[in-house]
Amino acid sequence: MEYDERMGIAYDTIFYGILCFNFERIKESFQRSSAVLHEDFRHFYQLKATLPEPPPELYPFFYCDTLHPSFLAKQFYEDFYFGQEEFTSFWERFLLKSPQQLAQLVFEYYYNEYQTETDCCKDGNVTQTIYQAFQLNLDHELTLQLIYLLLNPDTVVHALTTFLTASYHAVCELFRKETRVIQGILKIFTNNHFLDHLNVLPNGQYIKNSKKDRLSISFLNFLIVLQKGTEETGHKFLLGRCCHTYCNSESNYYKISPQVLCEAVGNPVNSFVLQLLNEQELTVTQLSDKLIMARQTVNRHVLWLLDLMLIKIAKVTNTQIYYRINRDFFTVAKEILSRYFTAFETGTFQSTGDGTNENMEKAENV
């Protein structure tokens, strides 16, 4: 397994902007699913202290609702040559398109990702495109900045380039200063136990490590970036949030609070999903058909249950992901709720979640 920091630096350059615009939303998601602490965001705060705030007109490039990737994150995932290039070469290739083309790409991304009933306007009619932007039913600020981008593409793309250039150099310096921390994290991510259990991650399957595999660290998203060649795609990417925690899931079961657990199983849609997966392995599409609900809605609940480990991935076939009940977790869940209700019964309330985070070794322990 070969370590290649270029992937982590490129990823964190993009993700820093995402955090700047969506910090509270992402922080809440991380805390709910992975029990992260304030200390876990220290690298983001370090960067934020040295870099100017991104201008609001960059919002359409970085907006993330935690269900859909941001525009730039998707471009990075699809077009970055993992293990082969620096962020700067990716960005130079991205800028081969004119600002007008980039603005149209951003608009088309929101049009397609947030599914509307009419066709996307691709004829260059700015007035019609702006009208369609209002029909997307997006966040109000996002809509306004998207329209500003359509009207002023040169100005916005210049501001984006300036921001990402500054972010890239700051992230490079962060990686240089945290070399010892990286070395400590690599001890976790390259040990045989971790590699043997990569299949528990929801992002894909990992069959065998080889010398061609490349590994990197992301400071901002608490994950590894793993690149593996495949016959079908040439590359296979695994972006596993809190990989170490996922791969040691049993020790993480007890970190889910009884309140969150009650909320998860008490939700009507979650309850129906759990009942169906209790009977058989199903995909999101199959669940959607059985529940007679929109696939996007069902997918949101499935990801929620997956984050909380009530369900897990059973198998992956081509593009289909099958889910099943995580029966091991329910043994622990029964104990969590039993302690919770007993505390009320006896009048000695005590929290069951320890709230600790063991995702990676802290700098002081390296």
Side-chain angles (χ1 to χ4, degrees):
M1 181 70 73
E2 179 185 358
Y3 173 67
D4 185 347
E5 71 174 10
R6 292 176 299 179
M7 293 186 288
I9 290 175
Y11 185 89
D12 280 350
T13 300
I14 296 288
F15 196 65
Y16 173 69
I18 295 173
L19 281 174
C20 284
F21 284 103
N22 309 273
F23 183 69
E24 291 303 323
R25 187 183 300 119
I26 292 175
K27 180 180 179 181
E28 180 183 354
S29 175
F30 280 7
Q31 288 176 331
R32 184 180 69 246
S33 63
S34 307
V36 300
L37 304 174
H38 178 80
E39 170 66 13
D40 294 309
F41 294 99
R42 67 188 184 280
H43 292 113
F44 168 68
Y45 293 129
Q46 288 175 21
L47 290 173
K48 196 172 177 62
T50 62
L51 290 168
E53 287 287 326
E57 57 263 31
L58 302 187
Y59 198 23
F61 290 92
F62 295 106
Y63 172 78
C64 175
D65 61 2
T66 72
L67 297 177
H68 305 86
S70 71
F71 169 77
L72 274 183
K74 187 170 184 180
Q75 294 294 316
F76 170 77
Y77 182 84
E78 293 178 348
D79 198 34
F80 183 72
Y81 299 153
F82 279 62
Q84 299 179 46
E85 66 175 342
E86 307 280 352
F87 173 79
T88 49
S89 59
F90 157 74
W91 186 242
E92 287 170 359
R93 191 170 61 257
F94 183 79
L95 290 178
L96 290 177
K97 303 178 181 67
S98 70
Q100 290 75 18
Q101 288 176 313
L102 292 177
Q104 185 66 30
L105 276 177
V106 175
F107 173 73
E108 290 173 11
Y109 168 76
Y110 285 106
Y111 217 98
N112 296 328
E113 197 74 17
Y114 291 80
Q115 294 183 356
T116 60
E117 297 179 357
T118 56
D119 293 332
C120 178
C121 179
K122 298 182 180 181
D123 60 4
N125 188 325
V126 176
T127 303
Q128 180 65 21
T129 305
I130 291 175
Y131 171 77
Q132 290 179 326
F134 277 111
Q135 312 306 311
L136 292 177
N137 195 29
L138 298 173
D139 170 271
H140 179 67
E141 177 66 16
L142 176 59
T143 301
L144 292 180
Q145 297 302 341
L146 184 58
I147 292 172
Y148 184 84
L149 168 63
L150 292 169
L151 294 173
N152 305 276
D154 294 88
T155 301
V156 178
V157 171
H158 175 74
L160 178 63
T161 300
T162 301
F163 172 71
L164 286 178
T165 300
S167 300
Y168 171 70
H169 291 300
V171 171
C172 286
E173 179 64 14
L174 176 63
F175 272 70
R176 187 190 66 79
K177 290 181 178 179
E178 299 286 16
T179 300
R180 293 181 65 242
V181 177
I182 292 174
Q183 292 173 348
I185 297 172
L186 285 173
K187 293 177 182 177
I188 299 174
F189 288 156
T190 57
N191 66 52
N192 290 329
H193 173 78
F194 180 84
L195 295 173
D196 289 342
H197 290 82
L198 276 177
N199 280 323
V200 305
L201 290 166
N203 302 76
Q205 292 180 312
Y206 182 82
I207 301 173
K208 182 180 180 181
N209 63 303
S210 70
K211 293 181 180 179
K212 293 182 180 180
D213 293 346
R214 293 177 184 271
L215 178 75
S216 191
I217 303 296
S218 165
F219 282 131
L220 302 184
N221 204 16
F222 320 117
L223 52 69
I224 62 171
V225 181
L226 179 69
Q227 174 251 326
K228 182 178 178 63
T230 64
E231 293 181 1
E232 297 82 7
T233 64
H235 297 283
K236 182 173 182 179
F237 310 116
L238 180 66
L239 306 181
R241 188 174 65 201
C242 298
C243 288
H244 182 55
T245 302
Y246 271 116
C247 290
N248 294 276
S249 56
E250 289 186 12
S251 65
N252 201 43
Y253 287 165
Y254 287 94
K255 294 180 182 179
I256 296 181
S257 70
Q259 295 90 340
V260 171
L261 184 57
C262 288
E263 181 183 1
V265 298
N267 181 282
V269 178
N270 286 351
S271 179
F272 286 130
V273 169
L274 290 171
Q275 290 176 44
L276 290 169
L277 294 181
N278 187 46
E279 298 172 358
Q280 62 184 131
E281 299 172 358
L282 296 167
T283 67
V284 170
T285 301
Q286 291 170 333
L287 286 167
S288 176
D289 292 340
K290 288 178 178 293
L291 295 172
I292 317 178
M293 297 181 66
R295 188 184 183 283
Q296 275 188 315
T297 301
V298 174
N299 189 55
R300 183 171 68 249
H301 287 271
V302 166
L303 292 178
W304 184 13
L305 293 171
L306 188 66
D307 264 350
L308 296 177
M309 294 175 289
L310 276 71
I311 64 174
K312 59 184 179 181
I313 292 176
K315 60 184 177 182
V316 180
T317 59
N318 296 326
T319 59
Q320 294 297 313
I321 301 176
Y322 287 80
Y323 299 91
R324 68 181 178 188
I325 283 285
N326 184 4
R327 300 195 188 283
D328 293 337
F329 173 78
F330 279 91
T331 302
V332 176
K334 182 179 179 180
E335 183 180 343
I336 292 174
L337 292 178
S338 176
R339 290 181 182 178
Y340 184 63
F341 293 129
T342 299
F344 282 109
E345 182 181 14
T346 60
T348 55
F349 180 81
Q350 185 176 6
S351 175
T352 49
D354 61 11
T356 59
N357 177 37
E358 300 173 356
N359 295 342
M360 55 179 63
E361 294 179 354
K362 302 300 181 184
E364 58 268 23
N365 294 328
V366 175

